[in-house]
Each structure stands twice: as structure tokens, then as C-alpha cells.
Amino acid sequence: MKRILAIIGAGDLGQQIAHFAITDQHYDEVVFFDDFSTNKTINGHKVIGKISDVYDAYKNKIFDELLIGIGYKHLGFRKEVYTQFENKIPFGKIIHSTCWVDKTATVHQGCFIYPNCSIDAHATIYNNTILNINCSISHHSSIGSHCFLSPRVAMAGFVTVEEQCIIGINATIIDNIKIAKKTQIGGGAVVINDIINNGLYVGNPAKLIR
């Protein structure tokens, strides 16, 4: 039976999700919902409505599962959209076939895991979170809902990242660290202490700049 994925957001992130959904054979077809696009198709995938049309389309069996292609600059809105459809429409989950995920790890619904990520034993990735290319999540660590990890984030064991965090490219988080919700870690930063107050942290060691 044909499986159809709906993606909310037809921008760059939504298009990347669509690409891997098809080329890595997770779904047979992709459709977009986007409040701003004036295109009828993007990269061969139909744009069939706006966010307000999603629920009716699902009731009419236009698609099977949903993912959110709203990027890291709008994590609050990403959470809002997810919450709007949670428990009403089934969310999909894409873990690229090149990833290694230990059998004791858990990746929740709505997540999109890019190629070559590693998720170690007893790690947990919560709902609606994105791990970009080559992220490494060590044992017993957890990433909260609605987070965005940039390429090559390296996270040691027993780390807790709360919801709506952005972790920049090549950032490193040592073991037993807790990062408060709505925190942004800059590219290349090295986090060696708990982050209790959210904000933007950069440098080695990472320090609050605003």
C-alpha cells in the first residue's frame, strides 16, 4: 500500500525531509502544506494547501503521516504546530538508513534524523526534534522535544538537553551536563558546565554572551 507523507513547510528544511523520505524509501509520496508558497509543486511534490487545511486533508485520507519542516529559527512556532496536531494526526519518524541506533535507544514521533548519526545505548530523542548530519549522542543522554541539532554535534553520556534548544555545528557537550530549555549553543562551542539560564552561549569553554 502506498504511504504518503505530509510535510508542513515547503522551504529548505521541508525539501530536505522530502528528499530523504523518498530516496531512503521511507515513503512513496510526499505532499506539502505551506502558508506562504505560491507554487503548486516543489521538486515534483504537490503543495496541496495551508496549515489550516491539514486536518481536513487527513480526514479525507490524502496522506498517512505528518512531519514538520519548520526550521531552527522558529522553534516556538514548530512546537505550536506540533501541539496543534498531536493526538489528532499520526506523526511520522525518519531515521536515515545510514544511522546507527542502539536497540535500547528511543526516538519518538515527529523526529527527523539525518544520515550518519549515532545514537548510543539508552539515549532518548523526544518528539519533533531534528538531528542533522553526523551527530553523535552518547549513552543515557536525552534531547528534549522541538530541538534542533546542527551537523556534527558531539554529546557525551548522561547529558540532558531540555526542549526548544539549538545546538550549533561542531559543538561538544561533555558528560553529565544539563542544558536549560530555549538555550542556543554556538558553532564549535564546548560546554563543560551546566547551563541553568537560557541564552546564547559560545566559545571554549562556552560562555553566555546574551
Side-chain angles (χ1 to χ4, degrees), residues 139 141 155-159 173-178 191-192 194:
H139 60 94
S141 288
M155 186 172 298
F158 297 101
V159 171
I173 296 94
I174 70 162
D175 58 293
N176 292 284
I177 290 293
K178 184 174 182 178
V191 181
I192 64 171
D194 288 346

Side-chain angles (χ1 to χ4, degrees), residues 9-199:
D12 291 337
L13 176 59
Q15 292 173 43
Q16 289 175 39
I17 295 173
H19 170 74
F20 288 122
I22 298 300
T23 61
D24 205 40
Q25 300 181 353
H26 295 270
Y27 295 90
D28 301 295
E29 186 178 335
V30 169
V31 295
F32 287 116
F33 293 88
D34 192 289
D35 285 357
F36 304 102
S37 178
T38 58
N39 297 318
K40 293 184 178 180
T41 62
I42 296 177
N43 297 332
H45 306 299
K46 294 179 181 178
V47 181
I48 63 171
K50 300 182 182 299
I51 294 174
S52 58
D53 301 314
V54 170
Y55 188 63
D56 284 342
Y58 174 69
K59 288 197 298 182
N60 290 321
K61 300 182 179 180
I62 302 299
F63 66 90
D64 301 294
E65 294 181 332
L66 183 65
L67 282 174
I68 299 176
I70 298 166
Y72 66 91
K73 294 182 180 179
H74 306 283
L75 290 188
F77 186 58
R78 182 179 174 86
K79 177 182 178 180
E80 179 182 324
V81 173
Y82 181 86
T83 302
Q84 178 180 346
F85 297 111
E86 187 178 16
N87 300 320
K88 297 177 182 177
I89 297 175
F91 278 85
K93 174 173 60 179
I94 293 178
I95 302 173
H96 195 272
S97 60
T98 58
C99 296
W100 175 75
V101 181
D102 188 84
K103 65 181 181 180
T104 63
T106 303
V107 179
H108 286 268
Q109 67 175 12
C111 291
F112 178 48
I113 312 299
Y114 276 76
N116 298 318
C117 289
S118 298
I119 303 175
D120 201 359
H122 303 287
T124 303
I125 314 299
Y126 284 96
N127 302 338
N128 194 33
T129 281
I130 293 173
L131 271 60
N132 215 306
I133 293 171
N134 289 320
C135 287
S136 178
I137 311 301
S138 292
H139 60 94
H140 297 91
S141 288
S142 67
I143 312 298
S145 298
H146 324 296
C147 288
F148 187 97
L149 273 63
S150 302
R152 295 188 300 277
V153 168
M155 186 172 298
F158 297 101
V159 171
T160 300
V161 178
E162 295 186 342
E163 70 166 43
Q164 295 186 71
C165 288
I166 302 169
I167 313 295
I169 188 169
N170 282 328
T172 300
I173 296 94
I174 70 162
D175 58 293
N176 292 284
I177 290 293
K178 184 174 182 178
I179 297 176
K181 66 181 181 180
K182 298 183 179 180
T183 293
Q184 182 174 356
I185 306 297
V190 180
V191 181
I192 64 171
N193 295 303
D194 288 346
I195 294 177
I196 300 171
N197 300 309
N198 60 26

